Amino acid sequence: MRHRLLRDQPARRDRGCRRSGSRTAAAGARADGGTPRVPADELAYMLKDSGAAGVVTQTEFLPGLTGAAAKCPALKALWVTDYEPKPGAPPVVRGFEELRAPAPSAPFVDPILETDVAAILYTSGTTGFPKGVMLTHRNLVTNCESSLKRITLNRKDVTLCILPMFHSFAWTAIVLTSTRLTLKCVIFSAIAPPRPWLKAMGEHGVTLLAAVPQIYAALAR
């Protein structure tokens, strides 16, 4: 599983991807990728480094995130997709439905440029704290189009995403290509055990699986 870190953008050159019909779109937010399976100190570092205004996550990851959020006073909210109100929950924890509020009536007059940063993906940080890799709209679109030149797909195809979304491979080979062609995309939050997503491949008629060598090696056993 993964988090999505949403950042407010004060200047056009930093304007990021917008989510239609939500407060995130109204803020001109940028999506940054972070992994929940790191220590709270590293999560706090990524939140501060990216200037994240909020995080979209799930209940199972709240313990580590609330600890990290306590060190990030600029963080406005932890939006939880499977949110259930609980007594004593920190005020920063909110339901994802809050992001579905109507967009403001006044449209943006500041255009998005292809050179604007659309996302920041964080490295694994094997030699220190994770490094934020800035990707522009042009980066994402070019990678998507390059993938489509190598893979023949039509709108009846169904894709499966089991790769972590804080890596570019999942975005370019699966998420963006599926969005570009309006394909059905089946998303799983964990690679192991493989039985659930292998079963889902048959149930949903998956025709495209993009994976790394370790996954193919495990399937060959």
Side-chain angles (χ1 to χ4, degrees), residues 39 68 83 121 156 163 180 188 199 208-209 214:
Y83 177 72
L121 301 185
K156 294 183 179 180
L163 297 170
R180 172 70 174 80
F188 267 76
K199 180 180 179 182
L208 175 64
L209 164 67
Q214 295 92 324

Side-chain angles (χ1 to χ4, degrees), residues 136-147 176 180:
T136 66
H137 290 276
R138 180 191 293 167
N139 290 148
L140 297 179
V141 171
T142 300
N143 285 341
C144 176
E145 295 299 331
S146 296
S147 297
L176 291 179
R180 172 70 174 80

Side-chain angles (χ1 to χ4, degrees), residues 23-217:
R23 292 186 185 274
T24 305
R30 178 169 70 218
D32 304 337
T35 169
R37 306 191 188 282
V38 297
D41 286 345
E42 285 194 25
L43 279 175
Y45 171 81
M46 288 188 285
L47 292 170
K48 291 179 180 178
D49 183 67
S50 65
V55 180
V56 178
T57 188
Q58 292 177 301
T59 299
E60 64 178 301
F61 303 122
L62 278 179
L65 265 175
T66 51
K71 303 176 182 179
C72 304
L75 192 71
K76 298 177 182 178
L78 301 176
W79 289 292
V80 184
T81 57
D82 55 344
Y83 177 72
E84 292 184 5
K86 293 183 179 180
V92 73
V93 178
R94 304 176 188 175
F96 181 71
E97 290 299 318
E98 181 179 302
L99 291 180
R100 298 180 182 273
S105 56
F108 279 104
V109 295
D110 195 9
I112 300 174
L113 303 179
E114 63 178 19
T115 52
D116 289 341
V117 175
I120 300 178
L121 301 185
Y122 278 85
T123 65
S124 58
T126 52
T127 58
F129 276 115
K131 309 298 190 297
V133 180
M134 296 183 290
L135 299 176
T136 66
H137 290 276
R138 180 191 293 167
N139 290 148
L140 297 179
V141 171
T142 300
N143 285 341
C144 176
E145 295 299 331
S146 296
S147 297
L148 291 175
K149 287 180 180 179
R150 297 291 181 180
I151 308 171
T152 302
L153 296 171
N154 60 61
R155 293 191 175 180
K156 294 183 179 180
D157 282 303
V158 179
T159 63
L160 174 69
C161 182
I162 56 173
L163 297 170
M165 289 187 188
F166 50 87
H167 287 298
S168 60
F169 187 23
W171 279 102
T172 57
I174 295 295
V175 178
L176 291 179
T177 53
S178 300
T179 303
R180 172 70 174 80
L181 298 179
T182 64
L183 305 181
K184 177 180 179 180
C185 181
V186 181
I187 300 175
F188 267 76
S189 62
I191 296 174
R195 186 177 297 275
W197 56 263
L198 286 173
K199 180 180 179 182
M201 289 181 70
E203 293 175 344
H204 293 277
V206 171
T207 57
L208 175 64
L209 164 67
V212 292
Q214 295 92 324
I215 295 176
Y216 294 123

